[in-house]
Amino acid sequence: MTRPPDTVTRAAGPGPAPATAVLRRRAETGLALRLARSAAAPEGARPRTEEVTGWLAERLRAHRFRVDRIPFADLEDWAFAPESGNLGHRSGRFFSVEGVGVTVDRGPFPHWQQPIIHQPEVGILGILAKEIDGVLHFLMQAKMEPGNRNLLQLSPTVQATRSNYTKVHRGADVRYLEYFLGPRRGRVLADVLQSEHGSWFLRKANRNVLVETDEDVAPHEDFRWLTLGQIGRLLRLDNLVNMDSRTVLAGLPTASTEDRHARALHTDRELLSWITTQRARHEVRVERLPLAGVRDWHRTPTAVERADGRYFRVVAVAVEAGSRETADWTQPLIEPTGRGVTAFLIRRIDGVPHLLVHARVEAGLLDVLELAPTVQCAPENYARLDPADRPPFLDEVLTAGPERIRYEAVHSEEGGRFLNAESRYLVVEAGPGAPQEPPEGYLWVTPGQLGALAQHARYVNVQARTLLACINAGAVDSL
């Protein structure tokens, strides 16, 4: 008989191994309750929350880190294909930069072409959990990514593409990988394939997994055990908790997901039907194109970009990173030309908090659309348009006074593929004029309903998962 995937190997004899028995007994106490206890713990076993920023600064000083822009001609092992112009690695692994043509059935931009990252392999974003002094802690990593403006941020225990952990780069082993591959050494608390940025990745997915262990795991000097409450306090700081940590934490089963039916405006059945209807009513056509043929984009020695300088550009960098599996390398990155704004409007309906979600179409998504925040855009990309063509609710978010802002922080997007990509993330209390019956493509749902969907693949986009992680970790005021 095949061993269940969420248990460790059984010992000889009729009963489970001791570690498995302990984990199962803890499971019976209710995972949501244990996570809530961790979220309510503002301090953990070590370090203190106020010491984390100092620890990150110390790790930044402990290693040599450097990122320099370089011309494409200086890329090592990367080249533009002679015929297509696609930018790829000589091994055929990691990722490539190609082109797509997109046609949609509505909106101010019905057709466009753009470069996009094609990375078909599935990576692992894994966080290891352990109960310390009766409270769940999470093993977080001080990880350097070349696209982060401040380089070092709080990352999952394991954050690696298949090319990384199979050592295509001929680098060192990925620490703690054994807890997420091969025979289980703990109990899986969450495990789901989730999409990446649909505007810049073509059908990219990563495995988001949380594993609990009962083993005595000594943290390497670049790792620390933190409670969910500590992570929640750190999520209130700019550019500290990276995107990959946020997306894993969004999939945790919390008390709100288990109690999501209580007085929600729409039932789960109605919500799922609405999502299906939205997917069925949109006509979206995405055609892969050679990068050299993408209209309105041109290549210079240092960038693939638009003549008007809008949206983003493809650039190249040389990286030195003393703490990574490979100490130095070169690679392409996507660099947006403006900071994004990503926000949920929130309101209480019959006393219950509801978030206004948007069924957002993005070219790189596998299932046409996913649930996104109320507002998700770079405002300067819409500055030249008529007011009627600006994203709904954008002006309400941008003009909200501090008394309506329940959460605000600047977070980096995926630092392994994007350069200086940041968004201002907000949760804003809806004004008195916000409709209970919102425009087509928008719906009020409870945080619990959104959290339940985030435990399944391809329902909640990566930007919405960031804000959901902030809610799960207690970073949002007065929710």
Side-chain angles (χ1 to χ4, degrees), residues 192-478:
V192 61
L193 286 178
Q194 293 287 17
S195 62
E196 293 279 322
H197 291 75
S199 295
W200 295 330
F201 278 111
L202 181 63
R203 298 175 181 173
K204 174 73 173 71
N206 275 327
R207 183 179 171 207
N208 290 219
V209 57
L210 182 72
V211 172
E212 183 181 5
T213 182
D214 201 50
E215 297 179 2
D216 185 13
V217 180
H220 178 271
E221 58 189 358
D222 288 329
F223 295 76
R224 289 293 184 268
W225 289 105
L226 301 174
T227 69
L228 189 55
Q230 288 181 287
I231 297 170
R233 291 173 65 183
L234 296 169
L235 278 165
R236 296 172 180 167
L237 303 179
D238 292 349
N239 288 326
L240 198 143
V241 180
N242 85 345
M243 186 215 78
D244 298 297
S245 297
R246 302 189 308 258
T247 183
V248 176
L249 296 174
L252 300 183
T254 64
S256 63
T257 62
E258 295 191 350
D259 193 32
R260 64 187 181 277
H261 303 287
R263 294 180 294 162
L265 182 61
H266 303 283
T267 67
D268 286 0
R269 188 187 301 268
E270 291 169 342
L271 173 57
L272 288 170
S273 176
W274 180 80
I275 295 170
T276 302
T277 300
Q278 293 297 315
R279 285 175 170 168
R281 67 187 292 270
H282 283 278
E283 295 183 11
V284 181
R285 186 168 68 250
V286 179
E287 177 187 8
R288 291 174 64 179
L289 302 171
L291 182 61
V294 174
R295 189 174 61 245
D296 298 328
W297 293 74
H298 66 280
R299 190 173 98 201
T300 72
T302 57
V304 177
E305 58 188 348
R306 287 174 56 99
D308 59 11
R310 297 173 68 190
Y311 305 117
F312 64 89
R313 61 181 68 90
V314 182
V315 298
V317 295
V319 185
E320 294 182 33
S323 64
R324 292 289 295 263
E325 294 83 10
T326 302
D328 56 86
W329 70 92
T330 64
Q331 70 170 92
L333 290 171
I334 280 182
E335 181 183 30
T337 58
R339 175 180 287 181
V341 171
T342 302
F344 268 128
L345 285 183
I346 187 170
R347 68 178 299 178
R348 291 186 177 271
I349 300 175
D350 293 333
V352 178
H354 284 67
L355 305 169
L356 187 58
V357 299
H358 177 207
R360 179 181 172 88
V361 173
E362 294 183 282
L365 297 178
L366 184 61
D367 286 333
V368 179
L369 59 80
E370 295 181 3
L371 298 188
T374 317
V375 172
Q376 178 189 317
C377 69
E380 55 190 62
N381 290 337
Y382 295 86
R384 308 177 191 180
L385 299 182
D386 292 334
D389 289 327
R390 288 167 60 82
F393 306 106
L394 173 60
D395 293 331
E396 179 172 0
V397 166
L398 293 180
T399 59
E403 73 282 357
R404 291 173 50 199
I405 297 176
R406 297 290 171 257
Y407 175 82
E408 180 177 12
V410 173
H411 291 304
S412 297
E413 305 302 337
E414 217 286 314
R417 299 291 177 266
F418 311 137
L419 180 63
N420 298 330
E422 298 173 326
S423 293
R424 180 186 175 211
Y425 280 88
L426 303 108
V427 176
V428 177
E429 185 176 330
Q436 186 160 321
E437 292 296 330
E440 174 63 35
Y442 293 80
L443 195 73
W444 292 104
V445 305
T446 67
Q449 287 178 310
L450 192 65
L453 288 174
Q455 296 177 40
H456 302 276
R458 300 192 294 274
Y459 278 107
V460 182
N461 82 352
V462 69
Q463 288 89 347
R465 294 199 304 273
T466 277
L467 288 171
L468 188 57
C470 297
I471 292 170
N472 288 347
V476 180
D477 291 334
S478 304

